Amino acid sequence: MLRGEKVLLRARHDDDVPALHAALHDDVAIRSRADTRPWRPTPVGSSPFVPKPPSDEAAVFTVVRLADDAVAGSALLWGIDVHNRLAHVGISLLPAMRGSGLGSDTVRVLCRYAFQTLGLHRLGLETLADNAAMIGAAERVGFRREGTLRDNGWVDGEFVDEAIFGLLAGEFEQA
């Protein structure tokens, strides 16, 4: 388990799936903004949140709010490349958990794990350009905006821009 100031990141449990699936998958608008794949109706038993065996390419966590041990969302490092020592950061918090600093703390804990435990050198973070909450969390942790991919995502029937951020291990240590 990984502990921050406000969150705990732990392995996904079967008991986490109903809450994560209902809030982060069944809500089409939320899922469309958080995933590059088109939304499809999926039963809880085949949810993308069902625990999977550990993988060298991804580290998947359930975010738990320390104040009350409530499931707060999902976090992951994906596209882990041990040769180039890089990965991407992804988080998705339940709507009721947003706006209380859990996002920044979650990103910070993932970065600490990536750099100090896995020995990675670089982390990337991609988000929709209008996702002010994720952009703020990334910047508070030390990520730098590296660019914009114009019309890179298809959301609610239109193309939208994606903001690209990066963070190097040395920059995180200085922050």
Side-chain angles (χ1 to χ4, degrees):
M1 292 186 286
L2 306 172
R3 184 178 296 272
E5 293 178 13
K6 297 181 178 190
V7 299
L8 175 77
L9 303 187
R10 62 161 170 74
R12 178 79 33 86
H13 299 163
D14 290 331
D15 294 348
D16 302 336
V17 176
L20 294 172
H21 187 81
L24 301 176
H25 180 79
D26 281 348
D27 187 312
V28 178
I30 287 175
R31 189 66 181 178
S32 295
R33 293 183 58 79
D35 198 325
T36 59
R37 297 165 293 195
W39 181 88
R40 288 185 173 80
T42 305
V44 173
S46 337
S47 173
F49 298 103
V50 169
K52 294 171 184 60
S55 158
D56 290 337
E57 291 82 33
V60 179
F61 302 93
T62 291
V63 180
V64 177
R65 183 171 56 189
L66 285 172
D68 58 3
D69 290 331
V71 170
S74 178
L76 75 153
L77 292 176
W78 59 275
I80 298 172
D81 177 341
V82 295
H83 176 73
N84 293 300
R85 296 177 51 204
L86 59 87
H88 299 269
V89 171
I91 73 167
S92 192
L93 297 178
L94 279 64
M97 299 291 181
R98 297 176 186 166
S100 59
L102 300 179
S104 295
D105 198 36
T106 300
V107 172
R108 190 173 293 106
V109 172
L110 279 173
C111 291
R112 189 174 65 234
Y113 172 69
F115 294 134
Q116 294 175 1
T117 303
L118 299 181
L120 299 181
H121 174 69
R122 181 187 184 349
L123 291 174
L125 186 150
E126 301 81 22
T127 189
L128 298 180
D130 67 352
N131 188 346
M134 188 67 228
I135 291 169
E139 289 175 339
R140 280 188 287 282
V141 172
F143 279 85
R144 296 182 188 178
R145 189 177 191 132
E146 296 180 333
T148 300
L149 297 175
R150 298 176 304 132
D151 283 357
N152 198 57
W154 179 253
V155 178
D156 283 336
E158 65 180 342
F159 286 103
V160 296
D161 293 348
E162 190 173 48
I164 305 301
F165 291 84
L167 179 65
L168 303 178
E171 296 167 344
F172 181 70
E173 292 166 6
Q174 293 172 3

